[in-house]
Amino acid sequence: MNEDWTNVVVRLGGAETLKVTARETKAFLRPREITNAVDLLRLILAYCLGERGLRSTAAWATSVGLVDISNVALLYRLRQCGDWLAMLVGQTLAAAAPQASRGRMIRIIDATTVPKKGADARKRNQLWRIHSAFDLPQERFGHFELTDQQAGETLDRIPVVAGEIRLADRAYLQPDRMAALIEAGADFVIRAGWKSARWLDAKGHPLDLVAELRKAAARGLIDRPIWIRRKHGAPLALRLVAVKKPAQAAAEARRKARRGAQRGGHQLSKQTLDAADWVILVTSLKPKDFATADVLALYRLRWRIELGFKRLKSLIGLKGPPGTDERSARPHVLAHLLTILLLEPLIDELEDSPRLAEAA
C-alpha cells in the first residue's frame, strides 16, 4: 500500500538517504528504466518477499505504474543490490540499538539456516547460515551476519557489548572464545554436555563431571566452581550450575539419546544416559551477584531467539532463495532480514507475544 510504503521509506532515512546509500554501494548509478532508488528498493522487496517469479514481478510493476522493466533487467538489478541491502540492514540495526539502562543487556546468540537451491547444493547439503543475536529486554534482533555452511557458529562472531550477558547453547562452549568475552567485559551462560570440555578441579586435575552429577542426584542441584582447560592460556575459571530435569523431561532426553545412538550405529554409554537427566550450564557470573535460581532463569530465556526465528520464517516467509547464483541469493535473504527489522516494533499488533521487559 502506498501509505505503508511511505512509512517504510521514512524508517529507512528518507528518499535522499536511500539515494546516497544506493550510489555508495553501486546498486543505483544512473536513472534508466528505474528513475530513483526508492522505486528500485520497492521493486526488489516486492520480488524477494512475494510469491511471484521474476516475470510476474516485472508484470506487476508495470501494472501498478511503478516501472516498465523486463525480467532479465530485474534479475540484473537484484544482483547489484546485495551490498546495498546489507548496508540498510546494518543501519536499521544501529538505529534500534538499546540505550544504556539500569539493567544489563541480555544477548541470546544462535544461528538458523535456509537451504541453497539446486541439485548439486542439495547433494552437498549446502546452505545459507544466518548468525544472529536477539537482545532482551527490547526483544529485537541486534545483529545479523550471513555466511554459507563453511562458516561455523562461534561465540565471539557477534561483536561484544560491554556489560552484556550472553546466552548460548552447547555448540558455543568454546573456552578460548569464552575467555575473549570475559576480557571484553561481558559475561555468559552456556549450556554444556558432559564431555563438551576438559573439566578440571581447583588443583588442575581432571574432573569426572558425571561422577559429580551422580553424587548430587539426591539433591538435584549443583552450584560450584569449575575450570576448563584451554588450547591457549591458563585454565578458565568458571562456575558450574546444573539442575536435574523433571522425570518426564529426563525420560524424553534419554529416549532421544538412545534414538541418536541407533541412528549413528554406536553404543550408548552409561555416562550419556546419566547426564541426560541434567541441564548443565557454565557461567562467568559470580554467585554474589546471581544466585543459582537467577542463572537458571536466565538460560530459560534462550527460547526467545527460537521465537524470533519462527517469526522470520513464518511471518516474513524466509525460505531458501530461488536460483543457485550467490549474487541473487544473498539479496533475497537480506531483504527478509531487513523486513523483520522493520516489522519488529509492530510485532505486538501482529501476534500475541507477551513482553519480557522485566527479564533484564
Side-chain angles (χ1 to χ4, degrees):
M1 303 297 291
N2 289 334
E3 182 180 351
D4 295 331
W5 176 243
T6 300
N7 292 333
V8 168
V9 172
V10 171
R11 291 277 309 282
L12 292 174
E16 186 61 29
T17 297
L18 288 174
K19 175 183 176 181
V20 171
T21 54
R23 288 188 181 279
E24 285 180 0
T25 55
K26 299 183 179 180
F28 183 85
L29 295 178
R30 64 182 70 88
R32 289 181 178 174
E33 303 96 341
I34 303 175
T35 59
N36 58 73
V38 172
D39 288 349
L40 173 61
L41 181 61
R42 188 173 187 179
L43 179 64
I44 296 302
L45 292 180
Y47 168 69
C48 292
L49 300 172
E51 299 295 329
R52 310 176 183 90
L54 289 166
R55 193 182 303 275
S56 296
T57 302
W60 165 82
T62 302
S63 69
V64 299
L66 179 63
V67 60
D68 187 0
I69 193 171
S70 70
N71 59 312
V72 175
L74 172 56
L75 178 60
Y76 172 79
R77 291 286 192 170
L78 174 68
R79 290 176 173 177
Q80 306 306 310
C81 285
D83 290 342
W84 186 33
L85 290 170
M87 177 180 286
L88 295 179
V89 167
Q91 290 178 344
T92 307
L93 286 168
Q99 302 297 315
S101 62
R102 291 182 291 111
R104 298 174 65 174
M105 183 175 72
I106 300 169
R107 171 160 277 192
I108 313 166
I109 65 165
D110 204 350
T112 190
T113 61
V114 291
K116 291 186 177 181
K117 293 293 184 182
D120 186 60
R122 288 193 297 271
K123 183 178 179 181
R124 300 186 181 187
N125 294 320
Q126 295 180 342
L127 49 82
W128 295 103
R129 179 171 283 123
I130 304 168
H131 307 269
S132 310
F134 194 74
D135 299 342
L136 299 177
Q138 290 76 23
E139 290 207 49
R140 299 283 185 269
F141 279 107
H143 186 88
F144 283 124
E145 183 174 339
L146 181 64
T147 69
D148 61 14
Q149 74 281 351
Q150 300 294 331
E153 299 174 47
T154 56
L155 184 64
D156 57 351
R157 178 182 294 277
I158 308 298
V160 176
V161 176
E164 72 169 270
I165 301 173
R166 186 163 295 197
L167 312 181
D169 211 344
R170 65 186 75 197
Y172 294 90
L173 191 70
Q174 302 158 353
D176 287 309
R177 300 178 188 277
M178 291 154 66
L181 247 69
I182 295 173
E183 292 172 2
D187 284 299
F188 53 79
V189 179
I190 301 177
R191 184 91 177 253
W194 72 273
K195 54 181 179 180
S196 298
R198 301 175 67 180
W199 309 105
L200 305 174
D201 62 18
K203 296 181 179 180
H205 298 148
L207 177 73
D208 186 340
L209 183 58
V210 176
E212 294 295 311
L213 298 177
R214 289 169 179 163
K215 286 191 293 186
R219 190 160 57 95
L221 189 67
I222 296 176
D223 190 342
R224 54 155 290 171
I226 198 168
W227 287 257
I228 297 179
R229 189 180 300 279
R230 298 165 55 193
K231 290 183 179 179
H232 309 287
L236 189 61
L238 296 172
R239 176 183 172 195
L240 172 70
V241 175
V243 62
K244 202 167 184 181
K245 299 174 184 175
Q248 184 176 353
E252 176 64 15
R254 286 173 171 248
R255 186 185 66 81
K256 288 182 179 179
R258 292 190 180 97
R259 186 173 59 185
Q262 289 174 350
R263 289 177 176 174
H266 61 268
Q267 186 69 33
L268 186 64
S269 69
K270 182 66 166 58
Q271 292 99 318
T272 298
L273 281 175
D274 288 344
D277 291 349
W278 293 78
V279 175
I280 306 169
L281 307 174
V282 291
T283 180
S284 58
L285 296 170
K286 307 303 180 188
K288 63 182 179 63
D289 299 320
F290 290 84
T292 308
D294 295 331
V295 174
L296 296 171
L298 280 171
Y299 186 74
R300 283 194 290 270
L301 295 173
R302 210 196 70 81
W303 71 277
R304 301 302 295 174
I305 196 170
E306 301 297 339
L307 178 57
F309 288 149
K310 181 180 178 181
R311 291 170 178 164
L312 182 59
K313 292 184 174 181
S314 61
L315 185 64
I316 309 302
L318 175 61
K319 302 174 184 176
T324 58
D325 194 314
E326 180 178 348
R327 292 173 299 171
S328 54
R330 181 169 173 261
H332 188 276
V333 175
L334 288 167
H336 286 78
L337 301 186
L338 179 62
T339 302
I340 189 64
L341 294 174
L342 293 172
L343 281 180
E344 278 179 327
L346 309 175
I347 220 73
D348 284 335
E349 301 175 13
L350 296 170
E351 62 181 19
D352 182 17
S353 174
R355 315 307 289 174
L356 288 181
E358 71 277 7

